[in-house]
Each structure stands twice: as structure tokens, then as C-alpha cells.
């Protein structure tokens, strides 16, 4: 009979399979020896008796049993330590005590196994085969316990993260509501309530500046809505910007291209601002006498009324004609068709003088047009009407006449040389000796142009 060697066991088998194989072989060898009475028969190969071979196998099984118990204890210690950590948060005194007891017990077991190893005391298990199976079973249970504890820990962390996410969502929703409320207060007509008791004798440039600020906010609200509509309809923003600002302007940030669209809206809305009738028709909006009082009365009439209500009640008024003319210039037919699927809005406005009630884009446009109209009326309510101006491309920046729409630090970081005016975003005004700065976009101009600090009056060309 061949002797049993470690190499005879297939290395690919699991520890449990290897153990069971050795047990079966040992029992088989013992049974055959007892039946045939060959315990003292020498084996030709290896020169070992069956009793010596059996003793060698038992010794190997005993060593393997000891090693299995060591690994089982280590796994149990890891599971106990994981349980100890898990019981600390949230604090669980019973769980901590149980984990501590188990941890101490397994450390004692490891100490005993260490002494057995050094003293070569391997034969303390009457059944090493069963000890190996029990140790491997204990190790698997400890591993499973560790995974369960880690799973509970991850679940707890997930619940905590979910709670944080819910809290942040609520904060975000609350912040959005506050922003909408603030935006609504800024855009509503009541925001000019501070001018309710204004008399023409007490009119000053400060009042004009106040109305101008509300006008600019309304323009930017409309531009934001217009850009969102363009993106939703699949418009190429870059191509639109290049068509508006034909010069080679370097934008410091991608978002800054919206200033070009704002510049276009301002240019169209403030075009012919210096004319008393906005250059609509010679016979429109031209009072015969007392022009200052006429303009101031128009300002007070429209100031506290919503634009859509006024258009609905007076569809043939000068303001209605102004809205119609500016809308047709600002929103071209292709844009309107891509936004709403047809061009009924402009057709109804041209043919029937009708204004829509449920079109959000026109609602925002009407409020913006109202602010521009009010600013125009207030400009001609002064003894010396307010004059409008803009600066040309390539001009050097002047603190007296200009204000940058971009933070000065951003411009200084992005532009190494002295920045120049790329284009005017919001025009400036002059009332007597008071200068209200125009808002400009500062950048680097690719093409060299003359840097003459000259002003150009809109509507005089």
C-alpha cells in the first residue's frame, strides 16, 4: 500500500474537502489494516510500517487542526472587534460588553494555542478531523458575522446620508422659494411704490436712477427667460451671439456671452430713446403744449398698473404701439415659431392689435417694455431731458462714464494688459450735469481699433 503524502491531495480542493479526504483515507487505511492484519507489515516504498504511517498522518491532522483553530480565533477576534466598533455609535452598553467578553476569550484561546505550538503539544484533540471541521465552521460563521456587522454599518451610514440629502433638498427648495419671492417683488409694479407721492417739482436724478435700476433688473429677467427658451428650442447660442456682436470679442467666461444678448435687447429697447415719440410715427405721442406735465402724467398713469392690464384696457394707446413695435423687432418670426410652434402672436398683434394673456415670454417682455416706457417718460419730465449714450468698441475704460458688468478682480486676472470696451451692455444717461455710467463689457479686442474715448448717441444715426 502506498504511503500517504501531502502532495497526493489536490491543491485545488478547499480546506474542508482536503480535510474530509484525509479523514476518509485514514479510516480506510485503519480498517484495511485491521481486517488483513497488516499493521506490522513493512511497505516496500518508503520503508514505513502502517502504524508509523498512521501516526504520521495523525500528527499532520493534529497540526492542521491547531492551525485551523488559530485562524478561526483570528476571524472571531475580527468579528468581535467589528461588533465592538458598531456598538459604540449609537452607544450600546450590552453589545460592547458581549463583544469585549468574546474578544478576551478568544485572546486567551490564542495564547493557549501558542503555548501548544511551542511545546509541540498537538495531540490534545481526540478527533482532529472533527476539530478541523469545527474550526472551519467557526471561521466561516465569524466571517459572516463580520459581513453582517459591516452591512449594518453601511446601512446606518446610508440612512444618515439620505437624511442629510433630504435636509439639503428642503433647504434648497426653501432657498428657491425665497429667490422666487425676491425676484417677484423686484419685478412687480409695486416695486416703484416709493415714487407714489412724487411731485414734478421735487423730481431729481436720484428718482431717475431708481427707475433705471428697476428697468435693468426687468431687462435681465427677460434676457434670462429668452436664453432659456432659445436653449429649449435648440438654438445655437454661440451663433446668435456672433450675429449680435460681429466684432471679435474675447469672453472671459462662457457665461459672459449672455451679456451680448442683453446688449442686443437694450439696443433694441432703447433705440430712439432721445425722441419724444420713440420715433414711432410723427403724429404719435406728440403733445401740443406743456410737454413736461404730459410726460409726467403718463409716468404716474402707468407706474402702478400691470402692463398686461393696461394693454388690455388701452390696446391702441401709445404704449401699446411701442410694445408692438419693439416686440416685432426683438423677436423675429423664426424665433417665435421655434418657441411657440407658430407666428400667431405677431400676426394677431399686427392685424388685430391683440395681446396674449397666457404667453409667459410676452408677459415678461411687457413688464420690461413698461419699465423702459416709464424711464422714457421720466426722462422727458425734466426741464432738460435726460440724454442717452453708449461707448464704442475699443475705448479705454473710464470710471466717469463707464461701469464694468464683470467683477474688476476677474478682469484683472483674465486680462494681462489694460482691458478695453468690448461692447456696451446697458447705456448711460446724462441729466444736466449728472452722469449715470453706462455698463460695459471689458475684454481683449483681437482686432486693433482706435482707442478713442468717444460717446455715440443712440437714435441720432
Amino acid at each position: 500500500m502506498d504511503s500517504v503524502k501531502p502532495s497526493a491531495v489536490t491543491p485545488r480542493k478547499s480546506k474542508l474537502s482536503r480535510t474530509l479526504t484525509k479523514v476518509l483515507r485514514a479510516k480506510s487505511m485503519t480498517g484495511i489494516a485491521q481486517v488483513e492484519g497488516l499493521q506490522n507489515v513493512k511497505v516496500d516504498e518508503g520503508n514505513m510500517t502502517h502504524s508509523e504511517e498512521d501516526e504520521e498522518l495523525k500528527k499532520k491532522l493534529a497540526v492542521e487542526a491547531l492551525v485551523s483553530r488559530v485562524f478561526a480565533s483570528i476571524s472571531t477576534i475580527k468579528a468581535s472587534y467589528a461588533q465592538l466598533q458598531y456598538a459604540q455609535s449609537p452607544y450600546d452598553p450590552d453589545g460592547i460588553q458581549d463583544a469585549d467578553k468574546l474578544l478576551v476569550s478568544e485572546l486567551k484561546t490564542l495564547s493557549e494555542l501558542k503555548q501548544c505550538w511551542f511545546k509541540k503539544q498537538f495531540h490534545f484533540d481526540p478527533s482532529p478531523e472533527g476539530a478541523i471541521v469545527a474550526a472551519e465552521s467557526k471561521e466561516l460563521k465569524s466571517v459572516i458575522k463580520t459581513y453582517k456587522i459591516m452591512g449594518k454599518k453601511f446601512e446606518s451610514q446610508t440612512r444618515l446620508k439620505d437624511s442629510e440629502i433630504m435636509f439639503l433638498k428642503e433647504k434648497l427648495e426653501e432657498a428657491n422659494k425665497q429667490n422666487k419671492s425676491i425676484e417677484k417683488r423686484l419685478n412687480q409694479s409695486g416695486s416703484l411704490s416709493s415714487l407714489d407721492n412724487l411731485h414734478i417739482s421735487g423730481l431729481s436724478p436720484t428718482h431717475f436712477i431708481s427707475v433705471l435700476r428697476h428697468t435693468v433688473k426687468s431687462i435681465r429677467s427677460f434676457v434670462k427667460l429668452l436664453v432659456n427658451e432659445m436653449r429649449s428650442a435648440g438654438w445655437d447660442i454661440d451663433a446668435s451671439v456672433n450675429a449680435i456682436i460681429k466684432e471679435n470679442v474675447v469672453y472671459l467666461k462662457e457665461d459672459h456671452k449672455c451679456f451680448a444678448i442683453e446688449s442686443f435687447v437694450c439696443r433694441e429697447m432703447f433705440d430712439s430713446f432721445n425722441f419724444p415719440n420713440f420715433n414711432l410715427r410723427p403724429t404719435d405721442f406728440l403733445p401740443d403744449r406743456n410737454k413736461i406735465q404730459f410726460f409726467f402724467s403718463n409716468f404716474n398713469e402707468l407706474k402702478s398698473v400691470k402692463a398686461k392690464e393696461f394693454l388690455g384696457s388701452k390696446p391702441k394707446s401709445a404704449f401699446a404701439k411701442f410694445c408692438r413695435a419693439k416686440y416685432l423687432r426683438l423677436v423675429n418670426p423664426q424665433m417665435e415659431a421655434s418657441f411657440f410652434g407658430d407666428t400667431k402672436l405677431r400676426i394677431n398683434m399686427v392685424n388685430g392689435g391683440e395681446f396674449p394673456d397666457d404667453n409667459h415670454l410676452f408677459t415678461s417682455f411687457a413688464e420690461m417694455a413698461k419699465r423702459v416706457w416709464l424711464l422714457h417718460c421720466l426722462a422727458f419730465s425734466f426741464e432738460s431731458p435726460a440724454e442717452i449714450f453708449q461707448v464704442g468698441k475699443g475705448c479705454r475704460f473710464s470710471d466717469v462714464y463707464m461701469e464694468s458688468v464683470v467683477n474688476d478682480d476677474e478682469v484683472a486676472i483674465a486680462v494681462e494688459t489694460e482691458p478695453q470696451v468690448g461692447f456696451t451692455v446697458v447705456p448711460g444717461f446724462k441729466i444736466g450735469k449728472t452722469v449715470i455710467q453706462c455698463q460695459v463689457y471689458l475684454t481683449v479686442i483681437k482686432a486693433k481699433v482706435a482707442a478713442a474715448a468717444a460717446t455715440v448717441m443712440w437714435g441720432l444715426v
Side-chain angles (χ1 to χ4, degrees), residues 154-166:
F154 289 144
E155 288 177 2
S156 177
Q157 292 176 349
T158 301
R159 288 194 297 269
L160 179 62
K161 292 297 182 183
D162 290 341
S163 177
E164 292 178 356
I165 291 172
M166 290 297 297

Side-chain angles (χ1 to χ4, degrees), residues 11-31:
R12 295 182 180 178
K13 295 182 179 179
S14 65
K15 292 169 63 178
L16 184 59
S17 300
R18 188 167 63 250
T19 301
L20 293 176
T21 302
K22 290 182 178 180
V23 172
L24 293 176
R25 285 188 177 181
K27 290 185 177 181
S28 175
M29 289 164 54
T30 304

